[in-house]
Amino acid sequence: MALTTSCGDFWDGGDPVQAREMRLPRKVINIMVGDRYQIPVEFAPEDITNEEVWWQTGNEEVATMDDDYVVGVSEGLTKAYALSVSDRLQDSCLVNVFPGSYLNPNEYPYDMVIYADVTIHGHQYTVEDEDSLIIAAYNDYELRGIGKMRSAHGRPYMEIRIWSPFEYGDWIDLMCIYRGKALIELFPVQLQFDGEAHGTLSNLIPLIIDENAQEYHFGYDLMNFEENEETRPIFTSE
């Protein structure tokens, strides 16, 4: 099992400042397959001498570590484990790796469409946001649609075409996937698939995420997740 270390500040003389506490403030990290995210670490006191940290994941088939970056390998749930090199303090966080944003519409015979005006924390979504903020439609864990920016008569709008194997009935969640931030937030609306068009180019549906948005975790039982004892890393002082 690979063990990586992140770079930090090193002692260059004087009395070393030891860490009393180390914690990972992000307890759940949502990351897309193929993406990477730098896991933040907090120390107390803040001005410790050596911030070097050793990293491991519990299941490298799901996620691996590259210094202090976690890299999504395949769909699944595991943990990232951190150990401070100088003071042997430990903490961990869950890593939820979800499938990439790819959809083959030919797999589904039915579709519905939403014509929307999207606002994310006060920022009106534009075509420049498509690489970093993915607007996606899911039925439970299954991707059913990806929002695409369009323009008509000089007016930008988002088209979210949602696909289904059923003519009617699926419940659809709309969410914003923040690539590079390891975060997914839900829009405060759940739709039932009906095969119809919702909104028009002259009357766009407002889709808004604000400070009350709920973080999404794809239904895993996060509170009760335990790493397999055979794969769970054990740090030693050797």
Side-chain angles (χ1 to χ4, degrees):
M1 180 173 294
L3 181 72
T4 64
T5 180
S6 60
C7 298
D9 296 328
F10 294 92
W11 182 50
D12 57 1
D15 295 330
V17 179
Q18 302 297 318
R20 297 191 304 270
E21 297 179 3
M22 181 194 73
R23 64 184 291 265
L24 306 183
R26 289 288 302 276
K27 303 314 292 183
V28 179
I29 293 172
N30 289 294
I31 187 170
M32 187 181 296
V33 171
D35 278 359
R36 51 194 281 125
Y37 172 71
Q38 186 176 25
I39 302 178
V41 183
E42 293 180 353
F43 290 97
E46 296 181 356
D47 59 341
I48 66 170
T49 301
N50 186 351
E51 296 181 350
E52 188 178 11
V53 174
W54 290 103
W55 293 93
Q56 289 181 338
T57 60
N59 186 346
E60 293 191 337
E61 293 183 357
V62 174
T64 61
M65 297 300 304
D66 180 11
D67 292 333
D68 54 351
Y69 284 84
V70 62
V71 182
V73 176
S74 65
E75 175 185 340
L77 189 64
T78 187
K79 282 187 177 182
Y81 298 87
L83 171 71
S84 65
V85 170
S86 62
D87 302 297
R88 296 312 200 203
L89 302 174
Q90 298 187 37
D91 200 5
S92 64
C93 64
L94 285 165
V95 179
N96 172 27
V97 183
F98 59 94
S101 56
Y102 172 77
L103 177 70
N104 182 5
N106 294 327
E107 297 177 357
Y108 304 96
Y110 305 104
D111 72 303
M112 62 183 281
V113 63
I114 301 171
Y115 299 105
D117 181 32
V118 178
T119 303
I120 308 295
H121 293 288
H123 168 73
Q124 189 170 28
Y125 192 102
T126 68
V127 67
E128 285 77 17
D129 297 311
E130 286 188 320
D131 289 336
S132 59
L133 301 174
I134 299 174
I135 308 303
Y138 277 83
N139 171 247
D140 291 330
Y141 200 71
E142 184 179 10
L143 179 65
R144 293 292 185 81
I146 302 169
K148 298 293 184 183
M149 289 301 295
R150 312 292 190 196
S151 180
H153 308 293
R155 183 182 185 184
Y157 66 94
M158 176 171 284
E159 177 186 291
I160 309 173
R161 191 164 296 275
I162 302 169
W163 301 86
S164 175
F166 308 108
E167 188 173 1
Y168 180 86
D170 279 353
W171 286 100
I172 303 296
D173 290 305
L174 298 177
M175 59 193 69
C176 180
I177 300 170
Y178 298 77
R179 301 189 71 177
K181 293 185 178 181
L183 176 67
I184 305 172
E185 287 184 324
L186 279 172
F187 287 92
V189 59
Q190 190 178 52
L191 305 173
Q192 191 166 26
F193 187 89
D194 60 7
E196 303 292 335
H198 297 264
T200 65
L201 299 187
S202 60
N203 186 23
L204 299 174
I205 300 293
L207 293 178
I208 300 171
I209 282 182
D210 58 20
E211 66 276 5
N212 298 314
Q214 176 185 354
E215 188 170 349
Y216 189 72
H217 300 299
F218 283 107
Y220 279 119
D221 187 4
L222 302 179
M223 297 299 294
N224 296 315
F225 175 78
E226 290 294 338
E227 204 78 66
N228 186 309
E229 290 298 329
E230 295 181 357
T231 61
R232 180 174 179 172
I234 299 175
F235 290 114
T236 69
S237 58
E238 298 177 359

mmCIF file of all heavy atoms in Angstrom, residues 78-116:
data_model
loop_
_atom_site.group_PDB
_atom_site.id
_atom_site.type_symbol
_atom_site.label_atom_id
_atom_site.label_comp_id
_atom_site.label_asym_id
_atom_site.label_seq_id
_atom_site.Cartn_x
_atom_site.Cartn_y
_atom_site.Cartn_z
ATOM 1 N N THR A 78 -14.175 5.086 0.511
ATOM 2 C CA THR A 78 -13.032 4.677 1.314
ATOM 3 C C THR A 78 -12.702 5.812 2.266
ATOM 4 O O THR A 78 -13.479 6.752 2.438
ATOM 5 C CB THR A 78 -11.831 4.305 0.421
ATOM 6 O OG1 THR A 78 -10.788 3.760 1.236
ATOM 7 C CG2 THR A 78 -11.316 5.501 -0.356
ATOM 8 N N LYS A 79 -11.549 5.716 2.921
ATOM 9 C CA LYS A 79 -11.091 6.770 3.811
ATOM 10 C C LYS A 79 -9.678 7.194 3.438
ATOM 11 O O LYS A 79 -8.900 6.404 2.912
ATOM 12 C CB LYS A 79 -11.104 6.300 5.273
ATOM 13 C CG LYS A 79 -12.476 6.284 5.920
ATOM 14 C CD LYS A 79 -12.370 5.974 7.408
ATOM 15 C CE LYS A 79 -13.734 6.041 8.084
ATOM 16 N NZ LYS A 79 -13.623 5.776 9.550
ATOM 17 N N ALA A 80 -9.380 8.468 3.713
ATOM 18 C CA ALA A 80 -8.014 8.978 3.639
ATOM 19 C C ALA A 80 -7.527 9.151 5.072
ATOM 20 O O ALA A 80 -8.228 9.725 5.908
ATOM 21 C CB ALA A 80 -7.956 10.297 2.885
ATOM 22 N N TYR A 81 -6.326 8.655 5.335
ATOM 23 C CA TYR A 81 -5.756 8.681 6.681
ATOM 24 C C TYR A 81 -4.528 9.578 6.694
ATOM 25 O O TYR A 81 -3.668 9.482 5.812
ATOM 26 C CB TYR A 81 -5.361 7.273 7.126
ATOM 27 C CG TYR A 81 -6.523 6.309 7.212
ATOM 28 C CD1 TYR A 81 -6.918 5.591 6.087
ATOM 29 C CD2 TYR A 81 -7.211 6.114 8.397
ATOM 30 C CE1 TYR A 81 -7.981 4.692 6.153
ATOM 31 C CE2 TYR A 81 -8.273 5.224 8.477
ATOM 32 C CZ TYR A 81 -8.653 4.514 7.350
ATOM 33 O OH TYR A 81 -9.698 3.632 7.409
ATOM 34 N N ALA A 82 -4.436 10.450 7.711
ATOM 35 C CA ALA A 82 -3.324 11.392 7.828
ATOM 36 C C ALA A 82 -2.586 11.156 9.142
ATOM 37 O O ALA A 82 -3.214 10.905 10.182
ATOM 38 C CB ALA A 82 -3.833 12.831 7.761
ATOM 39 N N LEU A 83 -1.260 11.255 9.095
ATOM 40 C CA LEU A 83 -0.412 11.119 10.278
ATOM 41 C C LEU A 83 0.626 12.228 10.244
ATOM 42 O O LEU A 83 1.400 12.333 9.283
ATOM 43 C CB LEU A 83 0.284 9.752 10.280
ATOM 44 C CG LEU A 83 1.366 9.548 11.345
ATOM 45 C CD1 LEU A 83 0.751 9.425 12.724
ATOM 46 C CD2 LEU A 83 2.212 8.318 11.030
ATOM 47 N N SER A 84 0.670 13.058 11.275
ATOM 48 C CA SER A 84 1.690 14.098 11.335
ATOM 49 C C SER A 84 3.034 13.451 11.648
ATOM 50 O O SER A 84 3.154 12.640 12.567
ATOM 51 C CB SER A 84 1.332 15.149 12.389
ATOM 52 O OG SER A 84 1.348 14.586 13.685
ATOM 53 N N VAL A 85 4.036 13.808 10.868
ATOM 54 C CA VAL A 85 5.323 13.129 10.951
ATOM 55 C C VAL A 85 6.011 13.383 12.286
ATOM 56 O O VAL A 85 6.537 12.471 12.923
ATOM 57 C CB VAL A 85 6.226 13.567 9.778
ATOM 58 C CG1 VAL A 85 7.649 13.062 9.966
ATOM 59 C CG2 VAL A 85 5.646 13.064 8.465
ATOM 60 N N SER A 86 5.997 14.627 12.763
ATOM 61 C CA SER A 86 6.782 14.953 13.954
ATOM 62 C C SER A 86 6.085 14.568 15.248
ATOM 63 O O SER A 86 6.729 14.185 16.217
ATOM 64 C CB SER A 86 7.114 16.448 13.964
ATOM 65 O OG SER A 86 5.918 17.220 14.028
ATOM 66 N N ASP A 87 4.759 14.632 15.292
ATOM 67 C CA ASP A 87 4.051 14.446 16.554
ATOM 68 C C ASP A 87 3.145 13.221 16.583
ATOM 69 O O ASP A 87 2.488 12.953 17.579
ATOM 70 C CB ASP A 87 3.225 15.698 16.871
ATOM 71 C CG ASP A 87 4.089 16.941 16.935
ATOM 72 O OD1 ASP A 87 4.956 16.997 17.815
ATOM 73 O OD2 ASP A 87 3.917 17.830 16.082
ATOM 74 N N ARG A 88 3.067 12.476 15.478
ATOM 75 C CA ARG A 88 2.286 11.236 15.409
ATOM 76 C C ARG A 88 0.808 11.446 15.736
ATOM 77 O O ARG A 88 0.172 10.597 16.360
ATOM 78 C CB ARG A 88 2.872 10.173 16.351
ATOM 79 C CG ARG A 88 4.266 9.727 15.976
ATOM 80 C CD ARG A 88 4.352 9.393 14.520
ATOM 81 N NE ARG A 88 5.487 8.538 14.219
ATOM 82 C CZ ARG A 88 6.042 8.445 13.024
ATOM 83 N NH1 ARG A 88 5.566 9.142 12.029
ATOM 84 N NH2 ARG A 88 7.043 7.630 12.799
ATOM 85 N N LEU A 89 0.256 12.568 15.325
ATOM 86 C CA LEU A 89 -1.172 12.814 15.477
ATOM 87 C C LEU A 89 -1.891 12.267 14.255
ATOM 88 O O LEU A 89 -1.382 12.351 13.136
ATOM 89 C CB LEU A 89 -1.439 14.312 15.625
ATOM 90 C CG LEU A 89 -0.726 14.991 16.801
ATOM 91 C CD1 LEU A 89 -0.944 16.486 16.757
ATOM 92 C CD2 LEU A 89 -1.202 14.413 18.130
ATOM 93 N N GLN A 90 -3.093 11.720 14.440
ATOM 94 C CA GLN A 90 -3.810 11.072 13.354
ATOM 95 C C GLN A 90 -5.230 11.610 13.217
ATOM 96 O O GLN A 90 -5.851 12.013 14.191
ATOM 97 C CB GLN A 90 -3.881 9.558 13.570
ATOM 98 C CG GLN A 90 -2.539 8.866 13.615
ATOM 99 C CD GLN A 90 -2.672 7.359 13.659
ATOM 100 O OE1 GLN A 90 -3.558 6.783 13.023
ATOM 101 N NE2 GLN A 90 -1.792 6.698 14.398
ATOM 102 N N ASP A 91 -5.713 11.598 11.980
ATOM 103 C CA ASP A 91 -7.117 11.874 11.698
ATOM 104 C C ASP A 91 -7.446 11.248 10.342
ATOM 105 O O ASP A 91 -6.545 10.832 9.601
ATOM 106 C CB ASP A 91 -7.401 13.383 11.682
ATOM 107 C CG ASP A 91 -8.878 13.695 11.876
ATOM 108 O OD1 ASP A 91 -9.674 12.752 12.120
ATOM 109 O OD2 ASP A 91 -9.265 14.878 11.775
ATOM 110 N N SER A 92 -8.727 11.167 10.035
ATOM 111 C CA SER A 92 -9.147 10.571 8.764
ATOM 112 C C SER A 92 -10.405 11.258 8.272
ATOM 113 O O SER A 92 -11.087 11.967 9.021
ATOM 114 C CB SER A 92 -9.406 9.066 8.920
ATOM 115 O OG SER A 92 -10.497 8.841 9.805
ATOM 116 N N CYS A 93 -10.717 11.051 7.000
ATOM 117 C CA CYS A 93 -11.951 11.562 6.414
ATOM 118 C C CYS A 93 -12.453 10.555 5.383
ATOM 119 O O CYS A 93 -11.679 9.771 4.833
ATOM 120 C CB CYS A 93 -11.758 12.936 5.778
ATOM 121 S SG CYS A 93 -10.613 12.958 4.378
ATOM 122 N N LEU A 94 -13.745 10.585 5.128
ATOM 123 C CA LEU A 94 -14.336 9.731 4.112
ATOM 124 C C LEU A 94 -14.073 10.307 2.725
ATOM 125 O O LEU A 94 -14.085 11.529 2.533
ATOM 126 C CB LEU A 94 -15.841 9.615 4.330
ATOM 127 C CG LEU A 94 -16.280 8.722 5.497
ATOM 128 C CD1 LEU A 94 -17.740 8.985 5.828
ATOM 129 C CD2 LEU A 94 -16.081 7.255 5.153
ATOM 130 N N VAL A 95 -13.845 9.428 1.764
ATOM 131 C CA VAL A 95 -13.677 9.825 0.363
ATOM 132 C C VAL A 95 -14.721 9.073 -0.453
ATOM 133 O O VAL A 95 -14.681 7.852 -0.560
ATOM 134 C CB VAL A 95 -12.256 9.498 -0.149
ATOM 135 C CG1 VAL A 95 -12.122 9.914 -1.618
ATOM 136 C CG2 VAL A 95 -11.202 10.198 0.704
ATOM 137 N N ASN A 96 -15.657 9.807 -1.002
ATOM 138 C CA ASN A 96 -16.742 9.251 -1.813
ATOM 139 C C ASN A 96 -16.424 9.528 -3.282
ATOM 140 O O ASN A 96 -16.446 10.681 -3.720
ATOM 141 C CB ASN A 96 -18.064 9.904 -1.407
ATOM 142 C CG ASN A 96 -19.211 9.536 -2.332
ATOM 143 O OD1 ASN A 96 -19.203 8.475 -2.949
ATOM 144 N ND2 ASN A 96 -20.194 10.414 -2.430
ATOM 145 N N VAL A 97 -16.091 8.496 -4.041
ATOM 146 C CA VAL A 97 -15.738 8.658 -5.454
ATOM 147 C C VAL A 97 -16.942 8.271 -6.298
ATOM 148 O O VAL A 97 -17.471 7.161 -6.184
ATOM 149 C CB VAL A 97 -14.525 7.787 -5.829
ATOM 150 C CG1 VAL A 97 -14.132 8.022 -7.286
ATOM 151 C CG2 VAL A 97 -13.344 8.086 -4.910
ATOM 152 N N PHE A 98 -17.407 9.211 -7.118
ATOM 153 C CA PHE A 98 -18.587 8.959 -7.933
ATOM 154 C C PHE A 98 -18.220 8.979 -9.415
ATOM 155 O O PHE A 98 -17.183 9.521 -9.805
ATOM 156 C CB PHE A 98 -19.693 9.979 -7.632
ATOM 157 C CG PHE A 98 -19.316 11.416 -7.864
ATOM 158 C CD1 PHE A 98 -19.602 12.041 -9.069
ATOM 159 C CD2 PHE A 98 -18.692 12.148 -6.871
ATOM 160 C CE1 PHE A 98 -19.275 13.353 -9.283
ATOM 161 C CE2 PHE A 98 -18.353 13.479 -7.067
ATOM 162 C CZ PHE A 98 -18.641 14.081 -8.279
ATOM 163 N N PRO A 99 -19.060 8.367 -10.278
ATOM 164 C CA PRO A 99 -18.713 8.225 -11.701
ATOM 165 C C PRO A 99 -18.559 9.566 -12.397
ATOM 166 O O PRO A 99 -19.134 10.578 -11.983
ATOM 167 C CB PRO A 99 -19.901 7.436 -12.279
ATOM 168 C CG PRO A 99 -20.540 6.785 -11.106
ATOM 169 C CD PRO A 99 -20.321 7.700 -9.942
ATOM 170 N N GLY A 100 -17.775 9.579 -13.446
ATOM 171 C CA GLY A 100 -17.598 10.775 -14.238
ATOM 172 C C GLY A 100 -18.874 11.211 -14.927
ATOM 173 O O GLY A 100 -19.839 10.454 -15.032
ATOM 174 N N SER A 101 -18.877 12.444 -15.393
ATOM 175 C CA SER A 101 -20.086 13.032 -15.970
ATOM 176 C C SER A 101 -20.223 12.652 -17.445
ATOM 177 O O SER A 101 -20.080 13.479 -18.344
ATOM 178 C CB SER A 101 -20.058 14.554 -15.818
ATOM 179 O OG SER A 101 -18.890 15.081 -16.411
ATOM 180 N N TYR A 102 -20.490 11.374 -17.672
ATOM 181 C CA TYR A 102 -20.696 10.886 -19.035
ATOM 182 C C TYR A 102 -22.018 10.151 -19.095
ATOM 183 O O TYR A 102 -22.350 9.373 -18.206
ATOM 184 C CB TYR A 102 -19.573 9.948 -19.468
ATOM 185 C CG TYR A 102 -19.852 9.271 -20.788
ATOM 186 C CD1 TYR A 102 -19.692 9.961 -21.987
ATOM 187 C CD2 TYR A 102 -20.305 7.962 -20.829
ATOM 188 C CE1 TYR A 102 -19.977 9.357 -23.196
ATOM 189 C CE2 TYR A 102 -20.586 7.342 -22.040
ATOM 190 C CZ TYR A 102 -20.417 8.051 -23.223
ATOM 191 O OH TYR A 102 -20.707 7.456 -24.420
ATOM 192 N N LEU A 103 -22.780 10.408 -20.136
ATOM 193 C CA LEU A 103 -24.090 9.788 -20.293
ATOM 194 C C LEU A 103 -24.293 9.430 -21.753
ATOM 195 O O LEU A 103 -24.026 10.232 -22.654
ATOM 196 C CB LEU A 103 -25.191 10.756 -19.836
ATOM 197 C CG LEU A 103 -26.637 10.297 -20.006
ATOM 198 C CD1 LEU A 103 -26.943 9.161 -19.032
ATOM 199 C CD2 LEU A 103 -27.593 11.452 -19.756
ATOM 200 N N ASN A 104 -24.760 8.216 -22.005
ATOM 201 C CA ASN A 104 -25.096 7.774 -23.358
ATOM 202 C C ASN A 104 -26.613 7.784 -23.502
ATOM 203 O O ASN A 104 -27.293 6.870 -23.034
ATOM 204 C CB ASN A 104 -24.550 6.375 -23.622
ATOM 205 C CG ASN A 104 -24.847 5.891 -25.037
ATOM 206 O OD1 ASN A 104 -25.386 6.647 -25.854
ATOM 207 N ND2 ASN A 104 -24.505 4.653 -25.319
ATOM 208 N N PRO A 105 -27.186 8.819 -24.143
ATOM 209 C CA PRO A 105 -28.647 8.908 -24.262
ATOM 210 C C PRO A 105 -29.285 7.734 -24.999
ATOM 211 O O PRO A 105 -30.477 7.471 -24.828
ATOM 212 C CB PRO A 105 -28.860 10.221 -25.032
ATOM 213 C CG PRO A 105 -27.598 10.985 -24.845
ATOM 214 C CD PRO A 105 -26.518 9.962 -24.764
ATOM 215 N N ASN A 106 -28.500 7.025 -25.810
ATOM 216 C CA ASN A 106 -29.073 5.911 -26.564
ATOM 217 C C ASN A 106 -29.543 4.776 -25.660
ATOM 218 O O ASN A 106 -30.279 3.882 -26.100
ATOM 219 C CB ASN A 106 -28.045 5.381 -27.567
ATOM 220 C CG ASN A 106 -27.721 6.396 -28.655
ATOM 221 O OD1 ASN A 106 -28.578 7.169 -29.054
ATOM 222 N ND2 ASN A 106 -26.484 6.382 -29.119
ATOM 223 N N GLU A 107 -29.130 4.808 -24.381
ATOM 224 C CA GLU A 107 -29.547 3.767 -23.450
ATOM 225 C C GLU A 107 -30.967 3.996 -22.928
ATOM 226 O O GLU A 107 -31.533 3.111 -22.295
ATOM 227 C CB GLU A 107 -28.572 3.707 -22.271
ATOM 228 C CG GLU A 107 -27.149 3.318 -22.667
ATOM 229 C CD GLU A 107 -26.205 3.337 -21.495
ATOM 230 O OE1 GLU A 107 -26.659 3.721 -20.385
ATOM 231 O OE2 GLU A 107 -25.030 2.977 -21.662
ATOM 232 N N TYR A 108 -31.519 5.191 -23.177
ATOM 233 C CA TYR A 108 -32.807 5.554 -22.592
ATOM 234 C C TYR A 108 -33.774 6.007 -23.691
ATOM 235 O O TYR A 108 -33.432 6.870 -24.506
ATOM 236 C CB TYR A 108 -32.631 6.682 -21.581
ATOM 237 C CG TYR A 108 -31.631 6.359 -20.495
ATOM 238 C CD1 TYR A 108 -30.302 6.779 -20.596
ATOM 239 C CD2 TYR A 108 -32.011 5.641 -19.375
ATOM 240 C CE1 TYR A 108 -29.384 6.492 -19.605
ATOM 241 C CE2 TYR A 108 -31.101 5.344 -18.375
ATOM 242 C CZ TYR A 108 -29.792 5.777 -18.495
ATOM 243 O OH TYR A 108 -28.881 5.486 -17.520
ATOM 244 N N PRO A 109 -35.002 5.495 -23.707
ATOM 245 C CA PRO A 109 -35.944 5.844 -24.779
ATOM 246 C C PRO A 109 -36.746 7.127 -24.531
ATOM 247 O O PRO A 109 -37.351 7.656 -25.466
ATOM 248 C CB PRO A 109 -36.883 4.634 -24.824
ATOM 249 C CG PRO A 109 -36.876 4.111 -23.424
ATOM 250 C CD PRO A 109 -35.505 4.366 -22.887
ATOM 251 N N TYR A 110 -36.760 7.644 -23.297
ATOM 252 C CA TYR A 110 -37.624 8.788 -22.969
ATOM 253 C C TYR A 110 -36.780 9.947 -22.448
ATOM 254 O O TYR A 110 -35.749 9.747 -21.811
ATOM 255 C CB TYR A 110 -38.672 8.396 -21.926
ATOM 256 C CG TYR A 110 -39.505 7.209 -22.328
ATOM 257 C CD1 TYR A 110 -39.281 5.962 -21.766
ATOM 258 C CD2 TYR A 110 -40.522 7.342 -23.276
ATOM 259 C CE1 TYR A 110 -40.041 4.861 -22.136
ATOM 260 C CE2 TYR A 110 -41.291 6.252 -23.652
ATOM 261 C CZ TYR A 110 -41.046 5.009 -23.091
ATOM 262 O OH TYR A 110 -41.799 3.925 -23.465
ATOM 263 N N ASP A 111 -37.261 11.173 -22.726
ATOM 264 C CA ASP A 111 -36.557 12.343 -22.223
ATOM 265 C C ASP A 111 -37.527 13.457 -21.867
ATOM 266 O O ASP A 111 -38.650 13.517 -22.356
ATOM 267 C CB ASP A 111 -35.525 12.839 -23.241
ATOM 268 C CG ASP A 111 -36.161 13.491 -24.455
ATOM 269 O OD1 ASP A 111 -36.969 12.819 -25.123
ATOM 270 O OD2 ASP A 111 -35.865 14.665 -24.712
ATOM 271 N N MET A 112 -37.071 14.334 -20.973
ATOM 272 C CA MET A 112 -37.760 15.579 -20.652
ATOM 273 C C MET A 112 -36.693 16.669 -20.640
ATOM 274 O O MET A 112 -35.490 16.376 -20.600
ATOM 275 C CB MET A 112 -38.469 15.502 -19.298
ATOM 276 C CG MET A 112 -37.554 15.285 -18.110
ATOM 277 S SD MET A 112 -38.431 15.124 -16.518
ATOM 278 C CE MET A 112 -38.796 16.846 -16.156
ATOM 279 N N VAL A 113 -37.107 17.931 -20.701
ATOM 280 C CA VAL A 113 -36.123 19.007 -20.790
ATOM 281 C C VAL A 113 -36.537 20.151 -19.878
ATOM 282 O O VAL A 113 -37.729 20.424 -19.689
ATOM 283 C CB VAL A 113 -35.968 19.493 -22.255
ATOM 284 C CG1 VAL A 113 -37.259 20.091 -22.781
ATOM 285 C CG2 VAL A 113 -34.811 20.476 -22.382
ATOM 286 N N ILE A 114 -35.541 20.792 -19.299
ATOM 287 C CA ILE A 114 -35.742 21.977 -18.473
ATOM 288 C C ILE A 114 -34.959 23.115 -19.103
ATOM 289 O O ILE A 114 -33.766 22.980 -19.401
ATOM 290 C CB ILE A 114 -35.250 21.743 -17.037
ATOM 291 C CG1 ILE A 114 -35.987 20.573 -16.402
ATOM 292 C CG2 ILE A 114 -35.419 22.996 -16.188
ATOM 293 C CD1 ILE A 114 -35.403 20.149 -15.076
ATOM 294 N N TYR A 115 -35.629 24.244 -19.313
ATOM 295 C CA TYR A 115 -34.968 25.466 -19.770
ATOM 296 C C TYR A 115 -34.834 26.372 -18.559
ATOM 297 O O TYR A 115 -35.837 26.792 -17.972
ATOM 298 C CB TYR A 115 -35.776 26.135 -20.877
ATOM 299 C CG TYR A 115 -35.933 25.253 -22.100
ATOM 300 C CD1 TYR A 115 -37.145 24.615 -22.378
ATOM 301 C CD2 TYR A 115 -34.877 25.047 -22.968
ATOM 302 C CE1 TYR A 115 -37.293 23.809 -23.490
ATOM 303 C CE2 TYR A 115 -35.012 24.229 -24.082
ATOM 304 C CZ TYR A 115 -36.213 23.617 -24.332
ATOM 305 O OH TYR A 115 -36.353 22.801 -25.429
ATOM 306 N N ALA A 116 -33.579 26.650 -18.148
ATOM 307 C CA ALA A 116 -33.355 27.237 -16.832
ATOM 308 C C ALA A 116 -32.399 28.422 -16.859
ATOM 309 O O ALA A 116 -31.567 28.567 -17.762
ATOM 310 C CB ALA A 116 -32.821 26.171 -15.879
#
